[in-house]
Amino acid sequence: MTTDKTQQQILRQDILGSRRFSNLLWAAIVTIGGVGFLLAGLSSYLKTNLLIVSDTSQLQFIPQGIALTFYGVAGSLLATYLWLLLVWNVGGGYNEFNKETGKVTIARQGYPGKNRQVEVEFPISEVQSVRAEIREGLSPKRALYLRSKKRRDVPLTRVGEPIALSTLENQGAELARFLQVPLEGL
């Protein structure tokens, strides 16, 4: 259990990675489509109906069946990739600001392999400000960055769907207050 003093010294923000409902929905849709096309193509080759919703066994294997099989394999491979992203939680992690140790730690999950977790650590004294970037339009962007003296701006928010403006303002203000640095861009 942490004490009030410890809670005042450490600020930790969890970052949602690829385990979002929208990604789960897309993985399910692509899986259904890919498997459906693959079964339709195989039905035309085997001259046996493998689908519940329609009878594709009467299609000519060349060219319709080959095209359906190709789309089915491509869709199934894409679905496999989407499911693996969900399992690995790519992009998920945390931002930790620790006044006790004087360090900022930004950690994110990557793809499996030698360096699965990407971690950036630097002193709190290097932080100049918290910067909010807000861009509306066709491709909206709402993100928070740490502006540092010795390195480029370090992104703090998740990638993908933009977060609500009020949430961005609250997170930026809370972080700027905790680090005792200015908040830019709002």
Side-chain angles (χ1 to χ4, degrees):
M1 184 170 198
T2 59
T3 63
D4 288 337
K5 187 177 180 181
T6 304
Q7 288 176 348
Q8 293 172 356
Q9 297 295 316
I10 299 172
L11 177 64
R12 183 180 168 111
Q13 301 170 333
D14 291 323
I15 303 299
L16 183 65
S18 58
R19 287 187 187 156
R20 292 191 295 249
F21 178 73
S22 61
N23 289 351
L24 179 67
L25 184 67
W26 280 113
I29 290 170
V30 171
T31 300
I32 291 168
V35 170
F37 274 101
L38 186 60
L39 289 176
L42 290 176
S43 292
S44 72
Y45 178 73
L46 300 172
K47 300 294 182 199
T48 305
N49 187 24
L50 300 175
L51 289 172
I52 299 170
V53 292
S54 67
D55 185 13
T56 56
S57 61
Q58 303 304 318
L59 290 175
Q60 298 269 334
F61 182 68
I62 298 179
Q64 291 101 343
I66 288 178
L68 289 171
T69 304
F70 172 76
Y71 289 129
V73 168
S76 297
L77 289 174
L78 178 61
T80 302
Y81 173 72
L82 292 174
W83 285 111
L84 287 173
L85 282 180
L86 288 167
V87 169
W88 294 330
N89 195 24
V90 174
Y94 63 90
N95 304 328
E96 184 176 276
F97 308 94
N98 191 330
K99 288 184 178 178
E100 290 175 354
T101 61
K103 294 200 181 280
V104 173
T105 305
I106 312 292
R108 300 289 186 271
Q109 291 291 335
Y111 291 97
K114 191 175 181 182
N115 297 323
R116 179 168 166 76
Q117 184 161 348
V118 178
E119 194 169 297
V120 176
E121 194 173 274
F122 57 91
I124 286 180
S125 59
E126 281 188 21
V127 177
Q128 286 183 318
S129 65
V130 176
R131 182 174 67 87
E133 182 176 329
I134 301 168
R135 186 176 63 222
E136 300 296 335
L138 191 58
S139 177
K141 182 177 184 179
R142 296 182 191 134
L144 284 178
Y145 294 91
L146 266 187
R147 182 159 280 170
S148 173
K149 295 175 186 173
K150 297 183 180 178
R151 58 184 82 223
R152 296 185 302 168
D153 290 356
V154 179
L156 298 175
T157 50
R158 67 180 188 220
V159 177
E161 50 196 55
I163 59 178
L165 193 55
S166 61
T167 305
L168 181 82
E169 289 173 348
N170 291 338
Q171 284 181 356
E174 178 188 16
L175 183 57
R177 211 174 13 258
F178 181 79
L179 296 174
Q180 298 172 345
V181 295
L183 176 62
E184 300 175 351
L186 289 178

